[in-house]
Amino acid sequence: MTARILDGNKMAAEIRVEVAAEVRALAASGVRPGLAVVLVGTNPASEVYVRGKVKSSEEVGLYSEKHTPSETATTDALLALIADLNSREEIDGILVQLPLPPQIDAKRVLLAVDPAKDVDGFHPMNVGYLSTQRPGLVPCTPAGVMEILKRGGVPVAGQEAVVVGRSDIVGKPVAMLLLNQNATVTVCHSKTRDLPGVCRRADILVAAIGRAGMVTRDYVKPGATVIDVGTNKVSDRKEFDRFFAGNKKREETFLTRGSTLVGDVHPEVAEVAGAITPVPGGVGPLTIAMLMANTVKAAKLRRSQK
Ligand code: NDP
């Protein structure tokens, strides 16, 4: 048996079309949702992410602007920038790209973002809204995981869901979203006993660990849905062979780029799972699509709450 592929690129494209339609509908009432992205310094990976976010904003018709304080910016300078963005009516979403340089008090900066404009959903106010099932902004990657389940026709209510990883950014909010949709949720982490045994209980297994190919076939109940959030760069040949020996297409990428991406789930899991997200092309594309959706949601929520 080979698992059904849950195609994140296709689902993200559908979401972008829906968001673009909402943006057009808002334009008819004179509203153009605006996203401000703050990128401090010159981290190459962050620059790539921010470029993708700005490009995607333009494609769906959002107003967007990029702020690029220097690598040596102070916490106070950043707080002043956030205060300005908070006060501007045409800005609906504020995204501070992480990680921030070490001299910056990241927690203080994230706390300063107006919760109504917190399109990353990291502010404690939005965390509270999520856990008490009130309308608010939900972190993009976890929201993307739920979209994959919905659009992939995977039932959630009453199912056993196991989430490996308990970060504030992915694991915890995914667990809360699954619980809110009536799954029976178990959250695992580095201290969990018999991790493979716990994971084998899952009808829906979400891996958000950050360890290349850690989830092997012995973690997975035959027929389970496996959502792989991990993105790990593999540039070592031996490591590559461990995952992709004999996979010609992957080998081409690996030889041209010198690396390839692998999730937290070993590719062999596709032989036992019922449905699975690929890496790349699974959860990743949904993250940016949900940022677009969140910006529109923020624009609507803020206006409805005035
Ligand atoms: P963190 O490092 O913040 O959290 C990792 C979690 O995995 C922790 O809870 C940790 O447990 C747990 N863990 C680590 N090792 C083990 C182990 N051996 N057994 C069981 N649990 C373990 O990572 P994030 O949540 O930020 O990200 C997870 C992955 O998702 C990364 O690969 C990241 O790159 C990817 N990611 C992908 C996104 C996308 O758009 N596709 C967006 C965000 C993240 P403990 O708490 O005990 O330390």
Side-chain angles (χ1 to χ4, degrees):
M1 186 177 86
T2 307
R4 178 164 67 97
I5 300 296
L6 298 166
D7 184 344
N9 282 320
K10 191 167 154 246
M11 294 180 193
E14 284 167 14
I15 293 170
R16 280 198 299 273
V17 168
E18 291 161 17
V19 171
E22 282 189 77
V23 172
R24 281 196 301 276
L26 282 169
S29 49
V31 175
R32 186 177 186 203
L35 173 67
V37 182
V38 179
L39 169 65
V40 185
T42 53
N43 177 326
S46 296
E47 280 175 346
V48 172
Y49 294 142
V50 165
R51 217 175 301 137
K53 288 167 185 177
V54 170
K55 184 167 163 263
S56 197
S57 304
E58 283 161 7
E59 280 167 10
V60 298
L62 297 175
Y63 166 72
S64 73
E65 58 183 41
K66 192 168 97 175
H67 296 264
T68 53
S70 83
E71 188 75 37
T72 56
T74 61
T75 301
D76 282 345
L78 223 52
L79 289 174
L81 172 60
I82 300 292
D84 177 53
L85 296 172
N86 281 343
S87 71
R88 283 174 51 201
E89 181 55 28
E90 72 276 25
I91 297 297
D92 294 289
I94 301 170
L95 182 137
V96 181
Q97 184 65 44
L98 300 176
L100 291 168
Q103 79 278 9
I104 289 178
D105 185 341
K107 281 201 169 148
R108 244 182 104 194
V109 170
L110 294 182
L111 204 59
V113 174
D114 179 347
K117 298 188 177 187
D118 168 40
V119 279
D120 251 341
F122 295 159
H123 193 287
M125 191 83 97
N126 281 315
V127 176
Y129 288 150
L130 175 61
S131 73
T132 53
Q133 293 188 265
R134 290 181 166 86
L137 296 166
V138 175
C140 301
T141 302
V145 168
M146 300 312 288
E147 283 294 325
I148 290 179
L149 294 173
K150 186 174 97 186
R151 288 168 197 261
V154 179
V156 175
Q159 303 294 297
E160 288 281 345
V162 174
V163 180
V164 189
R166 56 173 163 182
S167 71
D168 292 340
I169 295 173
V170 189
K172 275 189 217 163
V174 165
M176 195 54 77
L177 286 164
L178 287 163
L179 183 62
N180 287 351
Q181 288 194 21
N182 301 315
T184 303
V185 183
T186 305
V187 184
C188 301
H189 44 78
S190 63
K191 307 290 186 292
T192 298
R193 265 188 286 134
D194 184 21
L195 185 63
V198 177
C199 289
R200 275 197 304 274
R201 294 208 301 255
D203 301 307
I204 299 168
L205 177 61
V206 181
I209 313 163
R211 290 183 180 238
M214 196 186 102
V215 174
T216 48
R217 61 161 70 228
D218 53 321
Y219 284 60
V220 180
K221 177 166 82 176
T225 297
V226 179
I227 307 289
D228 189 355
V229 183
T231 45
N232 310 287
K233 203 169 165 182
V234 168
S235 38
D236 175 71
R237 178 73 217 199
K238 261 200 203 133
E239 182 92 331
F240 175 85
D241 286 339
R242 186 159 77 86
F243 299 121
F244 302 114
N247 182 332
K248 289 276 168 261
K249 213 170 143 207
R250 280 283 183 158
E251 179 140 22
E252 260 171 46
T253 326
F254 183 73
L255 292 175
T256 348
R257 295 197 191 151
S259 68
T260 189
L261 278 188
V262 61
D264 292 340
V265 176
H266 195 293
E268 70 181 19
V269 168
E271 292 159 27
V272 269
I276 194 165
T277 57
V279 175
V283 175
L286 269 290
T287 298
I288 293 191
M290 295 318 291
L291 174 66
M292 304 299 109
N294 263 358
T295 305
V296 172
K297 187 176 173 189
K300 287 183 177 169
L301 267 177
R302 197 159 57 89
R303 285 170 179 80
S304 72
Q305 284 165 359
K306 269 184 186 161

